[in-house]
Amino acid sequence: FLGAGGGNDIQWCFSQVKGAVDDDVAEADIISTVEFNHSGELLATGDKGGRVVIFQQEQENKSQSHSRGEYNVYSTFQSHEPEFDYLKSLEIEEKINKIRWLPQKNAAQFLLSTNDKTIKLWKISERDKRPEGYNLKEEDGRYRDPTTVTTLRVPVFRPMDLMVEASPRRIFANAHTYHINSISINSDYETYLSADDLRINLWHLEITDRSFNIVDIKPANMEELTEVITAAEFHPNSCNTFVYSSSKGTIRLCDMRASALCDRHSKLFEEPEDPSNRSFFSEIISSISDVKFSHSGRYMMTRDYLSVKIWDLNMENRPVETYQVHEYLRSKLCSLYENDCIFDKFECCWNGSDRQLLTFFLPPLCSIVMTGSYNNFFRMFDRNTKRDITLEASRENNKPRTVLKPRKVCASGKRKKDEISVDSLDFNKKILHTAWHPKENIIAVATTNNLYIFQDKMN
Amino acid sequence: MLGKGGKRKFDEHEDGLEGKVVSPTDGPSKVSYTLQRQTIFNISLMKLYNHRPLTEPSLQKTVLINNMLRRIQEELKQEGSLRPMFMTASQPADPLSDNFREAQPAFSHLASQPLLPTDFVSTTPLESCLTPASLLEDDTFCTSPTVQHDGPTKPPPPALQPVKDSFSSALDEIEELCPAPTSAEAVAAETAADDSKDHPSESSVQKPEGLPESRTAESKLMDSLPGNFEITTSTGFLTDLTLDDILFADIDTSMYDFDPCTSATGAASKMAPVSADELLKTLAPYSSQPVTPNQPFKMDLTELDHIMEVLVGS
């Protein structure tokens, strides 16, 4: 089993699954992003139909010490609608590419959600009281005839059934010619960046009618374009620092204090190509699909098609650790290129802090990384023990509080019992989005249209 | 898409191509590096031109596929003894191809590329160009970029190269010409090519040996590209006109709004009936002499009808 830092094993158990049961997947239900909020109480998903669904964790029941609270639907709203670009005669997809939560400042919750072109700030607020006893209105809203009013009273608030309302507070539009792939909130909690294929813009959360371009890699002659931006993120502590990754497998760290336009990087992270692994597809599989800083900001993690790499920000010439996610696919790259799977954008995430560890006074130890694969498999790598595990998100054989059985893919040769051969992998079942609760060992894993929640087995 | 345990296309290719990682430095191996490169080249082209989404295609994907094509193009340029079209004078002169440079005055406005040197062509039977399997059997086809200096001494996969070069030089135009070439353009240009080939003034300057090779090469390349080029079965009409002209010729395609991919899936695809006159008008740019619809053409009009039937009927 996977060890987690202080020697405690994490035994993952199935907890819940959300979404339609039938195999026929409605396109609009395809989950496109998953994100916990800062406390972990709320879990948001975005889908291809432009909807956001937020789940809320039940308050922990002291009597039910064997499991943490379940997640139930808290709010559902339509964040983005499909649009039409008349100039190019093309549709703008309503698919939610990313959701990022703001830290909670008052009773309401705020999140940023984005599709290819427009970012929106949503306020999610609860209403559990309503005013009653108006003088000029009846309870049903009809206006009373003023001549019938003989006395005056003060309206009072009465409890009502909880209603969760989502309202768009800001709409940040018309700043991106190309498709937005990332949004990242700065540690100052006042600004955020949005990145598309060629440009990165800086916004102020309060100001919607202008943004500042901080990175522009568009060549003067588009025919010379050979590289695009694939992901970007602000440093968790340093509000002037951000990184962006490219389709050529490089990561650039930029300091906004250096100049207004951060076209010149402060650091360039790139691993030299391994000549023994060279193939036609070397460039494509080196394209980075996700980049995530560790909680401390000392490290960052990148995901390319076949591996996860951990970089020390102080060392640019190679990663400090590399984990192979599904190396058995290396010999299948040609067919994966043909069926477009090679362009799948897998995300990755760090573990949250673990209360069981004696790290109360230290920042959360980022010791485990998680990422998805095909056949509804997902993988976890323990940086301390160097052990890894493959688990499956499926409704079969998944009862609550039953420990998940590790899976194994047989690359070649004789297939052992319980192993799955590479050729029987279902490449339609891909796990691109995963999220880890910021404080507890709870993970959310999105298959095509279902959301799985796993917890560690509490003893 | 790959289903669970489902059979995939190119199954025979799979065993060959995917059995091992093919590196350019491998010695003669069962898997032909060149074959793999050609397959990838074809797949890449298909991806770029078969894609008709309602939404904008992913720029990242387009850039990566373009880079792949460029890389293969560079390799071919370095390897082959042929020069690609639109070559600059800085390229080392190949004495053999000098003969062919003069063969092109009639097509100068089309800027067709020099053909394969004769001695290559004659040593290679036509059949070996047509079947990939034969390439696999012949170890000498396992070329690697490092051996490129051999140049004329090694038999390259013949006739494929000029076509690839025309594609690769066409790539330079790809970025300029945003709209993807429709298959109808390819067919119309192909029929145009037929006409030019049979036109007496042009054929006299053609090296006869060059013709069959490039024709079969192009047809082979066409055949290996399903989808857009399914209907181009009348390979006998292709001349040494480059595919560049076929794909990017400035012809009126308003009546050829036809995509066999979508029609295959039953989606609505308009097939406007085209009269022979209109078709003849589009053939005009391809002959060096001014053409009027009344001028008798060498090409049999029944052949033309046959092509139209194929266009309309499928």
Side-chain angles (χ1 to χ4, degrees):
Chain A
F1 289 117
L2 193 61
N8 298 318
D9 298 339
I10 297 187
Q11 294 175 277
W12 292 104
C13 305
F14 172 81
S15 172
Q16 297 170 271
V17 58
K18 308 281 186 194
V21 183
D22 40 86
D23 286 335
D24 215 6
V25 179
E27 183 119 347
D29 292 340
I30 296 174
I31 298 173
S32 50
T33 185
V34 181
E35 190 82 356
F36 280 100
N37 75 336
H38 290 251
S39 65
E41 186 204 352
L42 299 177
L43 174 60
T45 62
D47 64 26
K48 207 159 181 226
R51 291 166 302 197
V52 171
V53 180
I54 302 177
F55 302 92
Q56 184 189 41
Q57 192 179 26
E58 274 175 2
Q59 293 302 315
E60 259 184 57
N61 198 330
K62 296 302 172 195
S63 65
Q64 284 186 313
S65 58
H66 53 264
S67 73
R68 297 184 177 86
E70 279 199 345
Y71 282 84
N72 300 314
V73 177
Y74 177 66
S75 171
T76 304
F77 57 93
Q78 187 76 33
S79 172
H80 286 72
E81 299 274 5
E83 285 172 48
F84 196 79
D85 182 338
Y86 292 98
L87 213 57
K88 294 182 191 168
S89 252
L90 288 169
E91 238 189 49
I92 299 172
E93 270 194 305
E94 67 273 34
K95 171 168 73 87
I96 309 293
N97 294 336
K98 283 285 178 336
I99 289 174
R100 289 288 182 262
W101 289 93
L102 265 74
Q104 192 173 12
K105 281 195 273 194
N106 51 38
Q109 301 278 356
F110 289 87
L111 61 80
L112 283 175
S113 72
T114 185
N115 70 346
D116 284 337
K117 297 285 185 180
T118 305
I119 308 133
K120 295 189 184 179
L121 177 69
W122 287 90
K123 175 180 175 183
I124 297 106
S125 47
E126 291 183 4
R127 190 196 292 261
D128 60 356
K129 296 181 262 292
R130 65 154 182 249
E132 283 178 20
Y134 283 105
N135 291 293
L136 296 174
K137 274 199 286 194
E138 303 284 0
E139 292 309 321
D140 59 11
R142 285 180 304 145
Y143 280 96
R144 287 169 73 184
D145 180 359
T147 57
T148 64
V149 176
T150 52
T151 59
L152 286 180
R153 55 189 175 164
V154 177
V156 291
F157 274 96
R158 292 252 153 75
M160 59 178 262
D161 288 340
L162 177 65
M163 200 166 77
V164 181
E165 298 171 320
S167 60
R169 306 305 285 176
R170 305 271 188 275
I171 297 183
F172 306 91
N174 302 322
H176 286 280
T177 310
Y178 303 97
H179 292 178
I180 298 174
N181 52 56
S182 312
I183 46 175
S184 176
I185 300 172
N186 204 347
S187 48
D188 63 10
Y189 300 139
E190 282 185 357
T191 57
Y192 74 95
L193 63 78
S194 58
D196 66 30
D197 294 309
L198 298 178
R199 297 192 178 102
I200 302 180
N201 293 334
L202 181 71
W203 301 84
H204 193 284
L205 282 164
E206 299 291 328
I207 300 167
T208 58
D209 60 358
R210 67 176 172 273
S211 67
F212 295 97
N213 179 241
I214 51 177
V215 173
D216 189 342
I217 64 167
K218 183 178 178 195
N221 185 358
M222 277 296 271
E223 291 171 29
E224 293 164 5
L225 180 65
T226 57
E227 191 173 9
V228 298
I229 297 170
T230 53
E233 192 174 65
F234 264 120
H235 190 277
N237 305 322
S238 191
C239 60
N240 52 278
T241 307
F242 65 94
V243 293
Y244 68 93
S245 60
S246 83
S247 55
K248 285 195 173 169
T250 65
I251 309 106
R252 286 174 175 81
L253 184 139
C254 300
D255 186 334
M256 294 197 291
R257 296 169 300 187
S259 69
L261 190 62
C262 300
D263 275 357
R264 272 202 233 119
H265 53 263
S266 302
K267 293 196 188 195
L268 174 68
F269 299 84
E270 187 173 15
E271 182 172 27
E273 193 182 4
D274 176 6
S276 65
N277 268 337
R278 209 159 170 268
S279 78
F280 286 107
F281 307 101
S282 293
E283 188 196 9
I284 297 182
I285 62 169
S286 75
S287 177
I288 292 171
S289 50
D290 195 15
V291 62
K292 292 262 168 55
F293 276 105
S294 66
H295 301 314
S296 64
R298 165 88 192 271
Y299 298 97
M300 66 179 173
M301 164 167 57
T302 58
R303 176 72 154 93
D304 50 72
Y305 190 63
L306 296 180
S307 66
V308 166
K309 293 180 182 169
I310 313 288
W311 303 79
D312 184 328
L313 255 55
N314 297 317
M315 187 160 75
E316 298 170 56
N317 59 353
R318 58 176 178 81
V320 290
E321 293 151 35
T322 302
Y323 301 101
Q324 300 301 335
V325 181
H326 36 221
E327 180 71 9
Y328 46 79
L329 294 182
R330 193 178 287 273
S331 57
K332 307 284 176 193
L333 292 177
C334 197
S335 30
L336 293 166
Y337 178 61
E338 201 223 333
N339 65 14
D340 275 355
C341 281
I342 208 174
F343 298 106
D344 285 337
K345 294 190 191 158
F346 290 97
E347 291 173 11
C348 52
C349 65
W350 297 93
N351 66 313
S353 65
D354 187 340
R355 274 194 206 139
Q356 292 168 307
L357 299 175
L358 295 173
T359 57
F360 190 71
F361 297 105
L362 299 170
L365 265 180
C366 280
S367 56
I368 312 175
V369 300
M370 170 167 67
T371 189
S373 177
Y374 294 104
N375 211 67
N376 282 349
F377 288 170
F378 59 100
R379 306 260 285 135
M380 291 198 204
F381 302 93
D382 187 322
R383 298 177 61 206
N384 296 324
T385 64
K386 303 299 182 208
R387 283 191 296 216
D388 61 84
I389 192 169
T390 305
L391 300 171
E392 183 179 1
S394 96
R395 288 174 186 266
E396 304 165 5
N397 307 323
N398 272 330
K399 292 181 205 127
R401 292 194 297 283
T402 328
V403 177
L404 293 179
K405 191 172 113 175
R407 315 303 260 170
K408 190 136 171 34
V409 176
C410 164
S412 59
K414 204 162 185 302
R415 185 177 74 87
K416 299 195 192 79
K417 179 178 171 260
D418 284 349
E419 282 186 0
I420 297 178
S421 79
V422 184
D423 293 314
S424 11
L425 292 176
D426 189 342
F427 288 87
N428 289 329
K429 295 186 178 171
K430 46 192 100 175
I431 291 179
L432 303 173
H433 313 286
T434 59
W436 202 306
H437 191 290
K439 296 190 166 59
E440 303 179 19
N441 283 335
I442 301 174
I443 54 176
V445 173
T447 59
T448 308
N449 64 335
N450 283 175
L451 183 71
Y452 286 78
I453 298 171
F454 302 102
Q455 300 181 359
D456 74 350
K457 187 177 182 134
M458 291 170 80
N459 298 313
Chain B
M1 288 282 244
L2 300 179
K4 203 175 173 91
K7 277 274 185 195
R8 291 163 286 173
K9 266 197 320 187
F10 300 137
D11 229 0
E12 294 107 44
H13 280 157
E14 293 307 312
D15 295 331
L17 288 172
E18 317 261 55
K20 47 172 96 175
V21 176
V22 177
S23 88
T25 51
D26 276 359
S29 60
K30 197 172 174 212
V31 178
S32 163
Y33 174 83
T34 317
L35 173 66
Q36 186 180 34
R37 180 173 62 191
Q38 183 208 333
T39 309
I40 294 168
F41 189 89
N42 296 343
I43 293 172
S44 307
L45 278 178
M46 274 186 60
K47 284 189 184 302
L48 281 182
Y49 297 122
N50 276 4
H51 194 47
R52 282 258 198 108
L54 294 166
T55 57
E56 227 171 328
S58 154
L59 186 64
Q60 180 197 358
K61 199 165 138 186
T62 308
V63 164
L64 288 171
I65 298 170
N66 260 333
N67 289 352
M68 176 80 88
L69 288 167
R70 276 192 191 140
R71 222 174 299 125
I72 295 178
Q73 172 194 0
E74 276 310 308
E75 257 185 39
L76 293 172
K77 266 191 198 165
Q78 287 167 11
E79 258 182 28
S81 55
L82 300 174
R83 279 163 297 162
M85 282 170 48
F86 308 120
M87 208 194 52
T88 62
S90 57
Q91 282 267 353
D94 184 346
L96 290 166
S97 57
D98 275 347
N99 304 332
F100 297 87
R101 230 183 280 150
E102 292 131 39
Q104 310 314 316
F107 294 92
S108 53
H109 69 287
L110 303 165
S112 56
Q113 91 289 20
L115 302 170
L116 263 179
T118 331
D119 50 354
F120 295 174
V121 159
S122 53
T123 56
T124 316
L126 279 179
E127 287 62 38
S128 71
C129 311
L130 296 171
T131 333
S134 64
L135 288 178
L136 282 173
E137 287 155 24
D138 191 344
D139 277 346
T140 59
F141 287 148
C142 294
T143 59
S144 75
T146 57
V147 201
Q148 63 215 25
H149 331 289
D150 292 352
T153 58
K154 76 168 177 353
L160 290 175
Q161 297 222 344
V163 180
K164 282 203 204 115
D165 284 339
S166 71
F167 263 114
S168 51
S169 53
L171 283 177
D172 296 330
E173 298 195 353
I174 285 171
E175 277 95 24
E176 285 167 26
L177 300 162
C178 296
T182 62
S183 59
E185 279 182 63
V187 175
E190 187 190 1
T191 58
D194 301 337
D195 163 65
S196 314
K197 171 215 160 206
D198 288 304
H199 218 68
S201 56
E202 278 80 53
S203 46
S204 62
V205 296
Q206 295 304 319
K207 291 276 175 183
E209 300 91 340
L211 283 175
E213 269 54 62
S214 60
R215 179 190 307 151
T216 49
E218 286 171 336
S219 68
K220 179 177 185 306
L221 196 57
M222 296 285 212
D223 289 339
S224 61
L225 291 174
N228 265 355
F229 299 94
E230 266 163 8
I231 53 174
T232 59
T233 51
S234 330
T235 58
F237 305 127
L238 287 178
T239 66
D240 56 299
L241 269 186
T242 67
L243 275 172
D244 173 48
D245 311 310
I246 295 167
L247 292 177
F248 297 109
D250 190 16
I251 56 176
D252 173 29
T253 59
S254 53
M255 31 187 174
Y256 298 109
D257 199 13
F258 167 68
D259 183 355
C261 293
T262 56
S263 66
T265 59
S269 58
K270 287 181 298 197
M271 287 294 301
V274 175
S275 74
D277 272 356
E278 287 167 321
L279 189 58
L280 292 181
K281 277 193 213 143
T282 69
L283 301 180
Y286 290 90
S287 61
S288 60
Q289 298 174 6
V291 167
T292 70
N294 301 329
Q295 187 170 349
F297 284 100
K298 269 282 167 123
M299 176 170 65
D300 197 356
L301 275 180
T302 57
E303 309 271 25
L304 184 58
D305 284 341
H306 169 70
I307 295 167
M308 285 315 304
E309 262 176 66
V310 172
L311 266 179
V312 177
S314 57

